Amino acid sequence: MRISYRHWQPDDDAQLWPMINSVGWLSEDRYARKFSDLGLLEDSIVVAETDGEIIGHCLTAIRTLIHGEARLRFGNVGQVLVRDQYRGQKIGAELYARTLKFAEDHDISAIWLVAHPGRGPAYEMYLRRGFEVVQGRMAAIGRAEPSPTDLEVRRAQRSETRIIANLRETFAATTSGVEDRNTDVSNGTEWHIVRSGETPVAAAAIRRVDDLQTVASLLYATRDDPTGYLEAVVTNLKLKSFQLHGSPRGHLVKTTPWLPWEKRSGENLIYIVSLERLFHQLAPFLRARASEIGLGSARLTISTANERLTIELAGEQVGNTDPRPGDTELRFDRGGLASFLFGTRDLGEAVAEGTVTLGAGDLDFHTVSAWLSPFDHCDFTQLAGW
């Protein structure tokens, strides 16, 4: 049997839709409109076929994550499917190899996806290929208790996308893992804006999940208590019960301990495709952070199992350079860099455990941590595709 791999063609959907529909991820109409997502390109979808039959499918969308002053270019991998009778023939591995080629072609620094332990071999395959678990997923189901509120909640209009974008920037000031635009690919998502008088103070993405109206995303300033915003959404939309999505290190979960939060299936995994590309994209963030903490110059070598890179801060310039004797070196031989950068793992704890090593140099781990990862919270529910 000869298996070939190629990019998606318009007449593929007749075969692809039954495969997509079998796992219940999205509607036929939404899949037909997939290229309305600005993150999908002509070469975003790869299919595997034999004798004219499509037996595998993988989609990679380009996403931009707000990371302080920087914008990180990520690939969001989803809808990885292989027909049951063709599993065990390394088709999934080859589809993933095509994803890496897509990343190289489109300046993508890291790949993000959700994988489920215990649901086939994919999860273990990703770990073997260098992905690291960055964050799990949580949800809470509550009974609605409408209460008087001075806040107004209205469905967002097309002309109000800038309001949501501004709230997204506000949320991202203290929270990592936030997309720069609305790219939710699920069915029936509607954004609602919460106002105090004329001032927008929050935005909620509502959609139906598991037969429950669900607040899939909530954008707000994390100096605020989100409880009032949730109550306003529940009251104004007349919800009888509701579900919330969140992440273990997310502000929403931390500030609503009274809700019955539970771990849900699936984990957020990240693979750094290119350390050089990632830190090139991080440069605006590193410049701004250095100014905030009063760091005038520094040389730091970052090492992973696959790559080694030296960053030099000189005045207001940040760039890559060749290593020198005496540079501070931060080693992540067993993974952990993505978890550290996104604020889901404390550097001091990792160094104390010996899972990360900090070599001798001018920078201690407090300075390194303050420079590279100042985020108070991380919430990957702001990425598309719960």
Side-chain angles (χ1 to χ4, degrees):
M1 180 181 64
R2 181 178 179 274
I3 301 173
S4 60
Y5 298 85
R6 59 172 175 79
H7 295 131
W8 175 90
Q9 298 173 0
D11 57 358
D12 289 340
D13 279 5
Q15 290 193 61
L16 286 174
W17 169 242
M19 293 175 62
I20 302 296
N21 188 42
S22 68
V23 292
W25 285 332
L26 70 169
S27 68
E28 185 172 9
D29 176 66
R30 182 65 189 88
Y31 186 71
R33 293 185 293 105
K34 51 189 169 293
F35 286 101
S36 63
D37 183 335
L38 297 178
L40 262 65
L41 307 179
E42 289 185 358
D43 54 344
S44 282
I45 300 176
V46 176
V47 299
E49 67 177 352
T50 181
D51 295 327
E53 179 190 9
I54 295 177
I55 59 176
H57 172 275
C58 179
L59 178 154
T60 306
I62 297 176
R63 303 298 185 214
T64 301
L65 301 189
I66 304 172
H67 198 88
E69 290 71 18
R71 298 296 181 269
L72 307 183
R73 193 171 172 87
F74 270 43
N76 182 195
V77 177
Q79 300 175 16
V80 182
L81 294 168
V82 177
R83 291 189 185 277
D84 290 346
Q85 62 269 38
Y86 294 99
R87 291 181 178 176
Q89 300 184 46
K90 299 185 178 180
I91 296 172
E94 183 60 31
L95 289 171
Y96 173 64
R98 303 300 171 111
T99 296
L100 290 179
K101 176 64 165 56
F102 180 87
E104 292 295 334
D105 291 345
H106 295 286
D107 198 34
I108 289 170
S109 60
I111 295 171
W112 166 80
L113 55 81
V114 172
H116 299 263
R119 291 191 191 177
Y123 180 82
E124 295 298 332
M125 180 194 77
Y126 291 130
L127 294 184
R128 288 196 303 271
R129 281 163 173 74
F131 279 81
E132 64 174 280
V133 178
V134 176
Q135 192 167 51
R137 306 191 302 170
M138 301 186 75
I141 298 174
R143 299 289 300 176
E145 297 181 2
S147 57
T149 178
D150 294 328
L151 299 173
E152 181 185 15
V153 180
R154 292 200 308 265
R155 182 177 174 181
Q157 303 300 308
R158 289 183 179 273
S159 61
E160 296 177 321
T161 55
R162 185 67 251 171
I163 293 175
I164 297 176
N166 289 340
L167 287 166
R168 193 178 296 274
E169 291 275 358
T170 298
F171 187 73
T174 57
T175 302
S176 62
V178 181
E179 279 196 88
D180 73 334
R181 66 181 187 271
N182 302 335
T183 49
D184 198 299
V185 298
S186 302
N187 301 326
T189 300
E190 296 180 350
W191 280 90
H192 296 261
I193 297 174
V194 182
R195 286 180 170 83
S196 176
E198 296 298 319
T199 304
V201 292
I206 310 293
R207 69 173 182 264
R208 198 159 188 84
V209 180
D210 302 327
D211 292 325
L212 284 171
Q213 288 295 97
T214 300
V215 181
S217 299
L218 188 68
L219 304 173
Y220 57 96
T222 56
R223 64 177 179 273
D224 299 341
D225 183 344
T227 302
Y229 304 145
L230 289 172
E231 290 176 347
V233 170
V234 167
T235 298
N236 282 269
L237 299 185
K238 299 179 180 179
L239 305 182
K240 294 182 179 179
S241 60
F242 63 95
Q243 182 174 217
L244 296 178
H245 285 171
S247 297
R249 288 291 295 266
H251 185 267
L252 182 62
V253 172
K254 288 185 176 182
T255 53
T256 55
W258 44 272
L259 284 167
W261 290 102
E262 296 180 352
K263 180 177 173 59
R264 290 296 175 89
S265 175
E267 294 177 340
N268 296 284
L269 275 60
I270 287 179
Y271 172 71
I272 297 175
V273 178
S274 168
L275 200 60
E276 181 179 3
R277 203 175 299 149
L278 176 64
F279 275 89
H280 175 74
Q281 294 171 8
L282 279 170
F285 164 78
L286 295 175
R287 285 195 297 269
R289 284 298 300 158
S291 177
E292 289 174 17
I293 66 175
L295 185 62
S297 63
R299 292 178 57 88
L300 176 65
T301 297
I302 307 287
S303 297
T304 66
N306 302 318
E307 202 170 350
R308 190 167 184 253
L309 175 75
T310 300
I311 312 159
E312 182 175 32
L313 167 69
E316 295 183 356
Q317 299 301 315
V318 175
N320 300 343
T321 187
D322 296 326
R324 297 175 186 168
D327 290 346
T328 304
E329 182 163 5
L330 191 59
R331 298 187 60 87
F332 295 88
D333 292 330
R334 288 175 282 173
L337 176 57
S339 299
F340 167 55
L341 290 176
F342 283 94
T344 62
R345 185 71 197 276
D346 180 76
L347 181 62
E349 293 177 0
V351 169
E353 293 172 357
T355 56
V356 175
T357 58
L358 186 66
D362 294 334
L363 303 175
D364 58 29
F365 74 82
H366 293 293
T367 303
V368 171
S369 184
W371 187 28
L372 298 186
S373 182
F375 295 104
D376 298 324
H377 312 287
C378 179
D379 197 335
F380 275 102
T381 59
Q382 300 305 315
L383 291 168
W386 168 263

